[in-house]
Amino acid sequence: MLVRIVLVVLVVGIIGAAGVMALGGVWGESNNVISTRTGSPGGGYYVGSGGVK
Amino acid sequence: MTSTLQKLNCTQCGAGLDVLGGGRVLTHVCSYCGAELDAQDDYKVVAQFRDMPRPRTPFDLGMNGTLWGVDFTVIGTIAWQEYHAGRTWSWVDHQVYSPTHGYAWLSVEDGHVTFTRKTRDIPRPALVSARQIETSETRPSVRLGGERFLYYASGRAKPTFIEGEFNFRPSLDDTADYVTLLGETQMLDILASGSEVEYELTHLPDQTDLLTSFGVDAARMPKPGRRHPLDVRERPPIQLFLRNLAIGAAAVSIALAFLVSLRGETVAVSGKVPVSVEVELPFTVTSAEALTEITIWSNANNSWAWFEAELVDDAEAPVAAFERGVEYYSGSDWSEGSQKARTRLRLEEGNYTLSLAMSEADVDWTGGVEASQMEASVRTGVANPWWLVAAGVLFGAIGAGFLAQSKLSQSGRWAGSDWDDD
């Protein structure tokens, strides 16, 4: 029974973690967006994804 | 162990023979001279069998043991052979007798020992004909006692060796036409001999228990070949639990991914405007914890259009810039590309303005129409459902692995079947 409880907890944990990452939009930014980088010298553009402003 | 014996002398050769089989024995075939004696008529000689090669079997007449709590004694031996398409199959049936449970068979084939009893129940349908086997698209099946049996094999066998006591009159001239069907835990044999049809049910007892109980010398037992079709390998309950858990988790993950993909609120829409006009679209991001999605639509049809976008904040400082193409082609029964292009960004809370303009467009397909209108829209609070899709795929793969294992195990049971799907 303990093994089953551990397995259920593990599965719920994985789904929960995936849900949190999904809701946070982690790694969901589009490629090829030129964006300013916070604190970058001169506030210029760089090619990358995420971390806008 | 050997049971208490009665003895008689063969009326043909005078050899001492053990009488083991109870009152319904009809025939006793002398182990020494091959004379078939009528057990119901003073053991008169009714036939003489000669040149019978002794088969390889670990059971001897007189051996007894216990099966499912019932004592049985080996009273007779018949070896069978079947020839088909240049191949030979052989097996040995031992008639066994229990004073309380009557007559049955222990069969030795391919290193396995099975237990078979006649049944008076008649399956539905009662027969599986050779024509049905030849012409059926799927395995013929019958039902008996609520269990479904699927066709496994069929053939015609002849005895090559007969010895001991039987509750019928065997002959080397006999032939037995059989159809074997496989159920979940037992096999059903439909046996036709002349105008008589009999039904037998076969089980696979625990081999170690059986051989130990009958005191079989392990060295005399043929090595098992392929897995026996009745060797149903029960999987541990935890494996079934894990399989069900994985399949359930996959379904939940995919369902959540679908729900999460619907998240987000449209906060600004430009409306459709001519592509010659530059769109200025202000919008506000109230939470930096999710993504902002900018969708560009254009009515490009069998053509393409290229758009340049820039995002500035309250202080008119540039925040991001990107270029996106919209291309859409279609025919009578196909389409390719999309009239929408989406871009997802992570923006901090604040007010922004999107500037969008078409920079280039062209028609490069027959019947194409150049983009004349465009629209920009902004959605905030957008999620990335691929994490949940990935979890669904992971759990689905685990569940599918268990299902494949189960399928493989099932196909292993049918490996010896002579059914050909073609």
Side-chain angles (χ1 to χ4, degrees):
Chain A
M1 182 53 87
L2 182 66
V3 176
R4 292 181 184 212
I5 292 170
V6 169
L7 285 170
V8 170
V9 169
L10 188 67
V11 165
V12 170
I14 290 172
I15 294 175
V20 169
M21 304 274 259
L23 289 174
V26 176
W27 290 0
E29 300 90 344
S30 302
N31 292 324
N32 301 321
V33 174
I34 303 169
S35 59
T36 56
R37 184 168 48 183
T38 305
S40 63
Y45 289 117
Y46 84 110
V47 177
S49 62
V52 177
K53 197 176 180 185
Chain B
M1 241 183 353
T2 303
S3 63
T4 307
L5 303 177
Q6 289 183 304
K7 288 195 178 278
L8 67 90
N9 291 324
C10 173
T11 52
Q12 172 83 341
C13 69
L17 302 175
D18 297 329
V19 177
L20 307 160
R24 298 188 68 181
V25 165
L26 293 184
T27 303
H28 196 139
V29 178
C30 176
S31 304
Y32 299 92
C33 68
E36 185 176 30
L37 312 176
D38 188 340
Q40 302 291 317
D41 190 8
D42 292 333
Y43 290 93
K44 285 180 183 165
V45 177
V46 293
Q48 179 69 54
F49 303 139
R50 298 182 193 283
D51 302 323
M52 298 190 296
R54 182 167 285 278
R56 188 181 172 199
T57 172
F59 293 97
D60 299 319
L61 300 185
M63 291 174 88
N64 61 22
T66 304
L67 278 166
W68 295 289
V70 178
D71 286 332
F72 284 98
T73 302
V74 179
I75 63 170
T77 301
I78 301 185
W80 296 88
Q81 268 196 345
E82 180 186 343
Y83 302 93
H84 181 70
R87 288 185 63 192
T88 304
W89 292 265
S90 54
W91 63 95
V92 183
D93 289 342
H94 292 284
Q95 182 139 59
V96 293
Y97 169 68
S98 157
T100 53
H101 287 69
Y103 299 89
W105 295 96
L106 282 180
S107 300
V108 183
E109 184 178 11
D110 200 26
H112 305 285
V113 184
T114 54
F115 177 79
T116 300
R117 292 204 69 164
K118 285 194 194 314
T119 176
R120 292 184 181 192
D121 298 330
I122 297 175
R124 285 179 302 155
L127 285 175
V128 176
S129 68
R131 179 178 164 76
Q132 190 182 352
I133 295 165
E134 286 299 319
T135 58
S136 181
E137 291 287 319
T138 56
R139 289 178 190 268
S141 67
V142 302
R143 295 196 79 87
L144 179 70
E147 188 171 355
R148 185 166 179 247
F149 295 80
L150 288 171
Y151 174 84
Y152 184 80
S154 60
R156 172 174 291 177
K158 278 184 70 66
T160 59
F161 178 88
I162 305 173
E163 174 190 49
E165 296 167 84
F166 302 95
N167 63 348
F168 64 105
R169 297 191 193 283
S171 167
L172 288 178
D173 296 327
D174 285 344
T175 55
D177 292 311
Y178 70 90
V179 176
T180 302
L181 301 107
L182 180 59
E184 277 304 307
T185 58
Q186 55 187 348
M187 292 178 103
L188 171 67
D189 279 299
I190 303 175
L191 300 161
S193 184
S195 60
E196 196 175 337
V197 177
E198 293 181 324
Y199 303 99
E200 293 179 342
L201 288 170
T202 297
H203 291 86
L204 181 72
D206 183 284
Q207 300 291 281
T208 308
D209 288 353
L210 183 146
L211 299 179
T212 305
S213 176
F214 277 82
V216 168
D217 179 2
R220 292 179 61 195
M221 186 67 199
K223 290 262 181 292
R226 66 160 61 95
R227 175 185 166 195
H228 194 277
L230 289 176
D231 181 6
V232 180
R233 293 170 187 178
E234 292 288 339
R235 286 188 296 171
I238 189 70
Q239 225 178 74
L240 288 173
F241 175 78
L242 194 54
R243 183 197 70 182
N244 294 339
L245 182 65
I247 292 171
V252 168
S253 299
I254 297 299
L256 286 176
F258 175 71
L259 291 176
V260 159
S261 71
L262 301 177
R263 268 181 64 94
E265 181 189 1
T266 301
V267 293
V269 181
S270 69
K272 289 173 184 170
V273 297
V275 292
S276 54
V277 177
E278 186 174 322
V279 171
E280 293 282 329
L281 186 64
F283 64 93
T284 302
V285 175
T286 55
S287 170
E289 288 180 1
L291 300 171
T292 299
E293 182 181 84
I294 296 168
T295 302
I296 301 167
W297 171 87
S298 161
N299 62 347
N301 191 359
N302 283 321
S303 64
W304 60 267
W306 197 252
F307 296 87
E308 292 179 353
E310 191 180 31
L311 211 56
V312 296
D313 63 11
D314 263 350
E316 305 247 332
V319 173
F322 56 91
E323 297 182 351
R324 286 289 180 270
V326 168
E327 52 182 341
Y328 179 72
Y329 302 92
S330 65
S332 60
D333 56 355
W334 63 276
S335 69
E336 188 178 298
S338 170
Q339 291 183 322
K340 285 182 178 176
R342 291 187 173 86
T343 302
R344 289 181 174 181
L345 307 160
R346 184 174 296 282
L347 298 175
E348 291 187 351
E349 291 173 19
N351 296 317
Y352 298 89
T353 301
L354 171 71
S355 302
L356 179 68
M358 190 180 84
S359 60
E360 221 177 331
D362 197 9
V363 175
D364 56 358
W365 196 259
T366 311
V369 178
E370 194 172 294
S372 60
Q373 287 192 307
M374 65 177 180
E375 182 182 75
S377 62
V378 179
R379 206 156 63 101
T380 58
V382 173
N384 176 21
W386 290 106
W387 287 100
L388 284 161
V389 172
V393 169
L394 172 71
F395 290 127
I398 293 171
F402 282 120
L403 288 175
Q405 188 193 28
S406 172
K407 187 84 181 163
L408 208 63
S409 177
Q410 272 294 321
S411 65
R413 290 184 70 203
W414 294 91
S417 171
D418 65 10
W419 178 259
D420 187 349
D421 280 326
D422 297 330

